[in-house]
Structures are given as C-alpha cells and as structure tokens.
Amino acid sequence: MDEEIFLEEKEKLKEIVGKINNEEQIIEDNLSSSDMNYDLENIAKANVLQAQIKKLEDIKKIKDKPYFARMDFKEDSNKLEKFYIGKISLLDNKTAYPIIVDWRAPIANLYYEGKIGRAEYECLGEKIKGEILLKRQYIIENQELIKYVNINVTGNDELLQNALEEKADDRLKNIVATIQDEQNKIIRADLNAPLIVQGVAGSGKTTIALHRIAYLIYNYEKQFRPDEFMIIAPTRFFLNYISNILPDLGVDDVKQCTFEDFAYDVIGKKLKISDNNEKLVIIVNKEFDAINKGKIDIMIRESKYKASIDFKNVIDQYLKTVEDNYIPQKDFVIMNHTVMKYEELNKLFKETYKMYNFDMRINEIEKNMIAELNKSAVAIIEEIKKERAEKIYNLEGKERADVYDQYDKDIKLLEKGQKKLVRAYLNEIPKMDCIKYYMDFVQNFLKDSDEVMEYLRKNTLRNLQKNEISFEDLAPLMYLQTKIFGIKDKCKIKHVVIDEAQDYGEFQFDVLKTILDSNSMTILGDIAQGVHYYRGIENWKRFIDVEFGNTKTVYTTLQKTYRTTKEIMDVANSVINKLPEYEKEFIVLGEPVIDRKNSISIEQVKDSENLVQRINTKIDEHVLNGYKSIAIIAKDMNECEALEKKLLNIRSDVKLIKGKDSEYNAGISIVPSYLAKGLEFDCVIISDASSLKYAESSLDIKLLYVTITRAMSKLDIFYKDEISTLLR
C-alpha cells in the first residue's frame, strides 16, 4: 500500500462516516418531532415516516463498514467521478449526490464485470460509455480502514481470500463485497427468461439466490412488491440458516418457505405429510436388501411417475371429464319458465370463460344467470299474476288470502331474490375440495394397468383415507386446487427462486409455473447432489424441453468452488467422477479457489468405541483451533442416533439434526448425509466411510460427495475394516 494514498483514504472514510452520522442525526430528529399516530387520511405522511424508519435501520447496519469498494469512472464527454460502493445507497441530503452507491445500481455492474480501460453499462435502456480508471477494494472494521487493494477484475483478489478465511457463520453475511464475475452475471440476468444454474458444491448458488432477489427487488421496485418474490428452500432448518441474510441485504417481506409450506398455503389446509426424506431413508437403508429390492423398485417408479409431467397430463384428462360434467345437466327453469338452457350454460363454462378456474367461471356464469333472470322476471311475474287471478277467482276469506300470499312470495322472490334462485341451481354442483377430487381421480379415473399403477392407487388411497399424503402428492393437489378453485392472494407470486432445484420433479415446477402464470423463475441446483433422484431432475436438457419448450431459457454453469480447499475438492471430484458416464452429462467438476494444505485426515478405527473416542478428540482439536461449526456426518439416521447416544456420555455439547429442526446455531452437530445438503461447516467428520457404508452405487456416490463438500477448512474421514472403494 502507498502510505500517502492510505492516509487519503482514511480521511475519505472519516468524511463519509461523518456524513452518515449527520444523516442519521437528521432522521432521528425528524422522527422524534413527527406524530407517530397518523390516521388513514395521512397515508402519504405515514409512508414517508416508514421510509425514514427503514432508512435509519439501513444506516445503522452499514455504519461500521459503510462501503467495500471504489470505482473511478469517466463518462465520455463528462468529468471523472469517484463511486464508493456499499450494501445500500446514501445520498447527500443537500446536493443529492451519492455518498455511497448501492451494489445493485446499474453503474456498480462495472465494478463487478468491467476491467480498467474502456467500458460501458446499461441504465434505463441506454448504454453509458466511458473509461474505468481505478478499481479499489477496502477492508474496513469498526469505521477504521485496515487496508486497501487496487484490482483490475474481481477474481481471486485479496478481499475474496479474506472472506474465504471467515468461519461458516460469518461468511454468508459478507459476500456482497466479493461477488465474482460469473456470479454477478447470474444475479443480474433478465427477470423474464427462466434462468437455470448448474453449480458445483460451494459455488455460491444459495448466495446467488439471495442476492438475485435483492437485486431484482431494488431494480424492479415499481413493478413488484417484495412479497411477490418467493424463495423455496429444501428445509426449515435451511431457511433458518439463511434467514438473516435477506434483511442484511436491505430486503424484507420476501416469502421464504419450503415447498411443503407453500403447498399448504395453496391447498388451504395443513395435511399430515410423510417426511420429505422418508423414501430416501428407506432406499438408503435397504438398497442392497435382496428381499425388499422389488418393493423398493416399485416405490421408486411410483415416485418418478407422480413427479413427472406425464402424471400431470393424466390429471388434465381427468379435469376434462370433471369439466364436461360440472354444470348440472338441466335447464335453468323458474316456475315453469326456461330462463337459460343447459347447452347455453355449459358453453359459457367450457368455452366463454375457459381461461378462468372453475370457481371463477361459476361466478361469471352466476352474473349471466342473474342478468337473464332479470330480463325474464317481468314476463314471469305477469304469468304468475295471471295464474294467481285465476286461482283466487272463486275463493273467499282466509283461503283466498293464503293463496294470494303464496303467489306474492314468488313474485317478491323474483323481484328481489334472483341470487337465491340462481344459487339453488348452482348448489347442485357437488361440494368437493381438492383432496376429494384427488381421491376421486385416484380411485375412479386411474386404472391398475401394471404393478406400479396398482401400488400407486392402493398406497395413495390408503394414505388419503387416513388424511395423509406423500411429498409427491403435493403438486397434484396444488394443481387441482389452482385449476378448480384458484388460489388466495397471499399465494400469488411473480418470481420464484428455487434452491436445491435438482430435488424437485417436473410436475412441481409445472404447478409453480401455473401459479406464476409465467416462466419467471431462477432455478439453481447440482445434479451431482441429486440424492432424491427418484423424484427429481437428472437431466437439465430434458427438463428444459419439458418445462420451457421453445421459450428462451438461460442455462449456465458454475465451476469454481469457494467453500472447500483444493485437497478436499480433489477427493470430492474423484468420488463424483465414479458415476456412470450417462449420469455425468450435466455434472461439472469443481475448481477450488482455496489452496490450503493439511485439510484432510483419513484414519482407520478398530471398533465403535474407538471411533467415538477419536471423534471426540477431533472435536476438541477443532474447538481449540477456534472453529465454531463442526458436523459429524453419518450416512443414515440410525448411525447418527447411535453416535449421539455414545457421544453424550462423553460431552453435552452435541446436537442431532433430525430434519424437522427450525433453528441453526452453529456448534457441534450430528447430521445424516441427506440432511447436510445445502449447509456448510468449518469442519466435517465422516464417521464411517467404509466399503460397507458407501458402495459403488449412484446414490452412495452422491451421498458421499455431498458429505465431503460440506467441509470448509477440515475434513476428517474415519472408517472401519476397509475404506470405501470410492475413496481409493
């Protein structure tokens, strides 16, 4: 560092901190003098007040590290400007000149993608051309400048290396400063085209997902509200893991949920659902059990079918039969007067209003029926009056009055109760919810054409009768709900980001598209981590063809891994490379950025007691070296539970992750391999990588790959008897 420049930058930091403090004081003074009890007539003032409160919160978040970079840009035919880039934008309250530029602003794209020299960026559809003269990064702690570094591209720069040295619980929070060129392109990709990202473990897919939402909300704030964006994560445990990141990026109110949670909202009720991982556990535990092999194969084929677009197409056929028989097969007749014929009503339902769900169609038809009844009412009333006159002609006293009153009720009903008369006709439509429709579909529409369909029908009906469903039943139920009844406003979304996308099937994506009514999706996944292969995506090309057809789709890959060391990634690459060739078409090998030695240890243990002692020793070593998140990863839950029981006899600071956990608090965790996906830990201890645990099957290869790639700094591998051939 140049000492003179360092002192200049220290002074600049001091100046900017002073402006931030001044801005903070002005807002606090304004708030303290404001009337906080605005009524509805002062909505505009209330909105201004809320904006001020939000701005104050943002300022407090960035005070200690107000910015992380500077870029000097000279626009053609304009003067040189120095832009300091941070998490939020801050304008001078007197000149409106930017004190800090938001990383999401169009000009900030030059910092991430531009090189020193000629450059251009796009703003409001116009290309702005000029020259980048300087790109500088800063390390700032507690309002003090520690270091600056001049760079050309945001590649393996010093700020990135510093960030990668951070512990797992801090790393996600500080990623904005180190977004890489290939990540930035994905974050800023077009909102309207479906975006698919195949990224290796540790390539920053989750980080990109969160920052893309923050970017889109910032740049499309006039078109979308934050609550119209949704991120779907694999588990609630994972949601807690990322929960503090979006607010830290200045984004609140984004819908964050699991697919199950969103399904419950769409369906309108919470059903008893079997564990998302239940089938995987059965497959993991019994994969080589010859007795149950046939049953497991049928179960896998049933799941694949339910998750496929083919199953959705069969439901569409069922919906066609429901549609054909939805309107009561009779004319709308009032007091022997035909108001509307069945054919007319059926045509309205099937053709005129076919763009709507069934419920909305009926609402529109109801309006038509009321209008037609109004038109016919005068003639019908005249006929009633004529008939009444004939009936009472020879009657006297109470008998005459009773008959008169009866006819008078009919007249008043025609005059003022048209809706009641119409509803009486429409109430003949069967009252069924989406669950009853699904049960009718499975029971009466599907046929036992083979052993898989026989299993599907019997198993699904048995579960539905107990008010239970499997994960694969969610998409059909959501689809039926959407097509027949529509969805509530709180379920209406305009863009969805799906993390760990390889674990979802074609039908699940299709129902999301139906709810979105567009292709505006960001889909991030890794086929190499597709342990839910029996219901998920195994081939991106087929997926794109099925879901998006001729629609312009952006497909990109991320190969650099910023999580694990080169030593660890070399082992992971070696494992995943053992997949059969036909499964490797969409798998890319990770290119590690971190090159740190002595990050792996491999050790044979004598027995279970020896294993627990060695794990305990490793934990103590890692804690002593300052590591905060340590995971002991076993292949399945049975192994995890046995380890927990033995380790708790030695120490009290271990926690077993069972999949329904809602909190992630670092520390020492015991995790089954299939629940570790999407998470990262400072240190990972593989409890048993023996050949008995991990054989040369595709599932075992993927589970072991997932396990290895959770480690950021240290990977300890233990095994009994002989080590798995996957690690040789």
Side-chain angles (χ1 to χ4, degrees), residues 527-528 575-584 587 697-699 701-702:
I527 301 291
V575 168
I576 204 64
N577 220 17
K578 290 183 170 66
L579 279 173
E581 287 302 317
Y582 70 89
E583 289 194 57
K584 293 196 288 188
I587 290 174
S697 71
S698 293
L699 179 58
I701 289 169
K702 291 177 179 179

PDB file of all heavy atoms in Angstrom, residues 527-528 575-584 587 697-699 701-702:
ATOM      1  N   ILE A 527     -26.845 -31.476 -10.194  1.00  0.00           N
ATOM      2  CA  ILE A 527     -27.220 -32.871 -10.467  1.00  0.00           C
ATOM      3  C   ILE A 527     -26.363 -33.833  -9.643  1.00  0.00           C
ATOM      4  O   ILE A 527     -26.825 -34.898  -9.229  1.00  0.00           O
ATOM      5  CB  ILE A 527     -27.080 -33.194 -11.970  1.00  0.00           C
ATOM      6  CG1 ILE A 527     -27.974 -32.272 -12.805  1.00  0.00           C
ATOM      7  CG2 ILE A 527     -27.389 -34.642 -12.255  1.00  0.00           C
ATOM      8  CD1 ILE A 527     -29.442 -32.492 -12.680  1.00  0.00           C
ATOM      9  N   ALA A 528     -25.111 -33.439  -9.375  1.00  0.00           N
ATOM     10  CA  ALA A 528     -24.216 -34.299  -8.585  1.00  0.00           C
ATOM     11  C   ALA A 528     -24.736 -34.514  -7.175  1.00  0.00           C
ATOM     12  O   ALA A 528     -24.367 -35.481  -6.514  1.00  0.00           O
ATOM     13  CB  ALA A 528     -22.808 -33.683  -8.533  1.00  0.00           C
ATOM     14  N   VAL A 575     -14.589 -38.781  -6.254  1.00  0.00           N
ATOM     15  CA  VAL A 575     -15.774 -39.577  -5.902  1.00  0.00           C
ATOM     16  C   VAL A 575     -16.858 -39.423  -6.965  1.00  0.00           C
ATOM     17  O   VAL A 575     -17.380 -40.414  -7.493  1.00  0.00           O
ATOM     18  CB  VAL A 575     -16.314 -39.162  -4.508  1.00  0.00           C
ATOM     19  CG1 VAL A 575     -17.699 -39.770  -4.266  1.00  0.00           C
ATOM     20  CG2 VAL A 575     -15.348 -39.600  -3.413  1.00  0.00           C
ATOM     21  N   ILE A 576     -17.202 -38.180  -7.310  1.00  0.00           N
ATOM     22  CA  ILE A 576     -18.320 -37.964  -8.244  1.00  0.00           C
ATOM     23  C   ILE A 576     -17.963 -38.456  -9.641  1.00  0.00           C
ATOM     24  O   ILE A 576     -18.850 -38.817 -10.430  1.00  0.00           O
ATOM     25  CB  ILE A 576     -18.749 -36.480  -8.260  1.00  0.00           C
ATOM     26  CG1 ILE A 576     -20.212 -36.343  -8.717  1.00  0.00           C
ATOM     27  CG2 ILE A 576     -17.843 -35.626  -9.119  1.00  0.00           C
ATOM     28  CD1 ILE A 576     -21.216 -36.964  -7.802  1.00  0.00           C
ATOM     29  N   ASN A 577     -16.690 -38.512  -9.940  1.00  0.00           N
ATOM     30  CA  ASN A 577     -16.239 -38.986 -11.251  1.00  0.00           C
ATOM     31  C   ASN A 577     -16.481 -40.487 -11.430  1.00  0.00           C
ATOM     32  O   ASN A 577     -16.359 -41.008 -12.541  1.00  0.00           O
ATOM     33  CB  ASN A 577     -14.757 -38.671 -11.434  1.00  0.00           C
ATOM     34  CG  ASN A 577     -14.456 -38.218 -12.851  1.00  0.00           C
ATOM     35  OD1 ASN A 577     -15.347 -37.840 -13.594  1.00  0.00           O
ATOM     36  ND2 ASN A 577     -13.201 -38.289 -13.235  1.00  0.00           N
ATOM     37  N   LYS A 578     -16.832 -41.175 -10.350  1.00  0.00           N
ATOM     38  CA  LYS A 578     -17.101 -42.612 -10.424  1.00  0.00           C
ATOM     39  C   LYS A 578     -18.538 -42.916 -10.838  1.00  0.00           C
ATOM     40  O   LYS A 578     -18.919 -44.085 -10.957  1.00  0.00           O
ATOM     41  CB  LYS A 578     -16.768 -43.270  -9.090  1.00  0.00           C
ATOM     42  CG  LYS A 578     -15.261 -43.314  -8.812  1.00  0.00           C
ATOM     43  CD  LYS A 578     -14.945 -44.041  -7.515  1.00  0.00           C
ATOM     44  CE  LYS A 578     -13.449 -44.298  -7.373  1.00  0.00           C
ATOM     45  NZ  LYS A 578     -12.629 -43.090  -7.235  1.00  0.00           N
ATOM     46  N   LEU A 579     -19.352 -41.876 -11.053  1.00  0.00           N
ATOM     47  CA  LEU A 579     -20.703 -42.099 -11.575  1.00  0.00           C
ATOM     48  C   LEU A 579     -20.614 -42.700 -12.972  1.00  0.00           C
ATOM     49  O   LEU A 579     -19.658 -42.442 -13.715  1.00  0.00           O
ATOM     50  CB  LEU A 579     -21.467 -40.773 -11.667  1.00  0.00           C
ATOM     51  CG  LEU A 579     -22.099 -40.214 -10.396  1.00  0.00           C
ATOM     52  CD1 LEU A 579     -22.664 -38.825 -10.668  1.00  0.00           C
ATOM     53  CD2 LEU A 579     -23.194 -41.118  -9.849  1.00  0.00           C
ATOM     54  N   PRO A 580     -21.611 -43.476 -13.386  1.00  0.00           N
ATOM     55  CA  PRO A 580     -21.634 -43.984 -14.763  1.00  0.00           C
ATOM     56  C   PRO A 580     -21.628 -42.820 -15.756  1.00  0.00           C
ATOM     57  O   PRO A 580     -22.159 -41.743 -15.454  1.00  0.00           O
ATOM     58  CB  PRO A 580     -22.961 -44.760 -14.831  1.00  0.00           C
ATOM     59  CG  PRO A 580     -23.332 -45.030 -13.419  1.00  0.00           C
ATOM     60  CD  PRO A 580     -22.762 -43.940 -12.593  1.00  0.00           C
ATOM     61  N   GLU A 581     -21.071 -43.028 -16.924  1.00  0.00           N
ATOM     62  CA  GLU A 581     -20.908 -41.959 -17.915  1.00  0.00           C
ATOM     63  C   GLU A 581     -22.229 -41.277 -18.255  1.00  0.00           C
ATOM     64  O   GLU A 581     -22.296 -40.064 -18.403  1.00  0.00           O
ATOM     65  CB  GLU A 581     -20.254 -42.509 -19.192  1.00  0.00           C
ATOM     66  CG  GLU A 581     -18.769 -42.821 -19.054  1.00  0.00           C
ATOM     67  CD  GLU A 581     -17.950 -41.604 -18.620  1.00  0.00           C
ATOM     68  OE1 GLU A 581     -18.197 -40.502 -19.151  1.00  0.00           O
ATOM     69  OE2 GLU A 581     -17.077 -41.762 -17.749  1.00  0.00           O
ATOM     70  N   TYR A 582     -23.323 -42.075 -18.393  1.00  0.00           N
ATOM     71  CA  TYR A 582     -24.598 -41.489 -18.808  1.00  0.00           C
ATOM     72  C   TYR A 582     -25.171 -40.533 -17.764  1.00  0.00           C
ATOM     73  O   TYR A 582     -26.029 -39.697 -18.070  1.00  0.00           O
ATOM     74  CB  TYR A 582     -25.622 -42.584 -19.133  1.00  0.00           C
ATOM     75  CG  TYR A 582     -26.123 -43.362 -17.932  1.00  0.00           C
ATOM     76  CD1 TYR A 582     -27.226 -42.944 -17.200  1.00  0.00           C
ATOM     77  CD2 TYR A 582     -25.484 -44.547 -17.534  1.00  0.00           C
ATOM     78  CE1 TYR A 582     -27.680 -43.661 -16.103  1.00  0.00           C
ATOM     79  CE2 TYR A 582     -25.927 -45.265 -16.446  1.00  0.00           C
ATOM     80  CZ  TYR A 582     -27.025 -44.821 -15.727  1.00  0.00           C
ATOM     81  OH  TYR A 582     -27.467 -45.535 -14.643  1.00  0.00           O
ATOM     82  N   GLU A 583     -24.687 -40.637 -16.517  1.00  0.00           N
ATOM     83  CA  GLU A 583     -25.175 -39.743 -15.459  1.00  0.00           C
ATOM     84  C   GLU A 583     -24.336 -38.479 -15.324  1.00  0.00           C
ATOM     85  O   GLU A 583     -24.692 -37.567 -14.594  1.00  0.00           O
ATOM     86  CB  GLU A 583     -25.192 -40.480 -14.109  1.00  0.00           C
ATOM     87  CG  GLU A 583     -26.259 -41.547 -13.998  1.00  0.00           C
ATOM     88  CD  GLU A 583     -26.450 -41.997 -12.559  1.00  0.00           C
ATOM     89  OE1 GLU A 583     -26.741 -41.135 -11.712  1.00  0.00           O
ATOM     90  OE2 GLU A 583     -26.283 -43.196 -12.294  1.00  0.00           O
ATOM     91  N   LYS A 584     -23.229 -38.411 -16.030  1.00  0.00           N
ATOM     92  CA  LYS A 584     -22.286 -37.301 -15.837  1.00  0.00           C
ATOM     93  C   LYS A 584     -22.432 -36.173 -16.855  1.00  0.00           C
ATOM     94  O   LYS A 584     -21.666 -35.211 -16.822  1.00  0.00           O
ATOM     95  CB  LYS A 584     -20.848 -37.821 -15.852  1.00  0.00           C
ATOM     96  CG  LYS A 584     -20.518 -38.705 -14.665  1.00  0.00           C
ATOM     97  CD  LYS A 584     -19.031 -38.907 -14.480  1.00  0.00           C
ATOM     98  CE  LYS A 584     -18.419 -39.791 -15.523  1.00  0.00           C
ATOM     99  NZ  LYS A 584     -17.019 -40.124 -15.224  1.00  0.00           N
ATOM    100  N   ILE A 587     -22.890 -32.867 -15.105  1.00  0.00           N
ATOM    101  CA  ILE A 587     -22.103 -32.669 -13.884  1.00  0.00           C
ATOM    102  C   ILE A 587     -20.763 -32.039 -14.251  1.00  0.00           C
ATOM    103  O   ILE A 587     -20.086 -32.489 -15.172  1.00  0.00           O
ATOM    104  CB  ILE A 587     -21.901 -34.011 -13.150  1.00  0.00           C
ATOM    105  CG1 ILE A 587     -23.240 -34.465 -12.550  1.00  0.00           C
ATOM    106  CG2 ILE A 587     -20.829 -33.890 -12.079  1.00  0.00           C
ATOM    107  CD1 ILE A 587     -23.212 -35.833 -11.940  1.00  0.00           C
ATOM    108  N   SER A 697     -22.649 -47.480  -5.850  1.00  0.00           N
ATOM    109  CA  SER A 697     -23.960 -47.190  -6.448  1.00  0.00           C
ATOM    110  C   SER A 697     -24.054 -45.682  -6.653  1.00  0.00           C
ATOM    111  O   SER A 697     -23.374 -44.902  -5.971  1.00  0.00           O
ATOM    112  CB  SER A 697     -25.092 -47.652  -5.527  1.00  0.00           C
ATOM    113  OG  SER A 697     -25.171 -46.809  -4.390  1.00  0.00           O
ATOM    114  N   SER A 698     -24.907 -45.256  -7.575  1.00  0.00           N
ATOM    115  CA  SER A 698     -25.044 -43.820  -7.861  1.00  0.00           C
ATOM    116  C   SER A 698     -25.466 -43.050  -6.619  1.00  0.00           C
ATOM    117  O   SER A 698     -24.983 -41.947  -6.361  1.00  0.00           O
ATOM    118  CB  SER A 698     -26.068 -43.600  -8.986  1.00  0.00           C
ATOM    119  OG  SER A 698     -25.581 -44.112 -10.198  1.00  0.00           O
ATOM    120  N   LEU A 699     -26.389 -43.631  -5.847  1.00  0.00           N
ATOM    121  CA  LEU A 699     -26.865 -42.937  -4.651  1.00  0.00           C
ATOM    122  C   LEU A 699     -25.748 -42.771  -3.635  1.00  0.00           C
ATOM    123  O   LEU A 699     -25.556 -41.679  -3.075  1.00  0.00           O
ATOM    124  CB  LEU A 699     -28.041 -43.698  -4.026  1.00  0.00           C
ATOM    125  CG  LEU A 699     -28.607 -43.072  -2.737  1.00  0.00           C
ATOM    126  CD1 LEU A 699     -29.067 -41.641  -2.975  1.00  0.00           C
ATOM    127  CD2 LEU A 699     -29.751 -43.918  -2.188  1.00  0.00           C
ATOM    128  N   ILE A 701     -22.551 -42.717  -4.170  1.00  0.00           N
ATOM    129  CA  ILE A 701     -21.572 -41.767  -4.716  1.00  0.00           C
ATOM    130  C   ILE A 701     -22.032 -40.338  -4.427  1.00  0.00           C
ATOM    131  O   ILE A 701     -21.250 -39.496  -3.961  1.00  0.00           O
ATOM    132  CB  ILE A 701     -21.395 -41.984  -6.241  1.00  0.00           C
ATOM    133  CG1 ILE A 701     -20.646 -43.298  -6.495  1.00  0.00           C
ATOM    134  CG2 ILE A 701     -20.645 -40.815  -6.885  1.00  0.00           C
ATOM    135  CD1 ILE A 701     -20.654 -43.744  -7.955  1.00  0.00           C
ATOM    136  N   LYS A 702     -23.305 -40.064  -4.681  1.00  0.00           N
ATOM    137  CA  LYS A 702     -23.829 -38.708  -4.466  1.00  0.00           C
ATOM    138  C   LYS A 702     -23.879 -38.347  -2.982  1.00  0.00           C
ATOM    139  O   LYS A 702     -23.562 -37.213  -2.603  1.00  0.00           O
ATOM    140  CB  LYS A 702     -25.215 -38.575  -5.102  1.00  0.00           C
ATOM    141  CG  LYS A 702     -25.171 -38.609  -6.628  1.00  0.00           C
ATOM    142  CD  LYS A 702     -26.558 -38.540  -7.247  1.00  0.00           C
ATOM    143  CE  LYS A 702     -26.486 -38.559  -8.762  1.00  0.00           C
ATOM    144  NZ  LYS A 702     -27.811 -38.528  -9.401  1.00  0.00           N
TER     145      LYS A 702
END
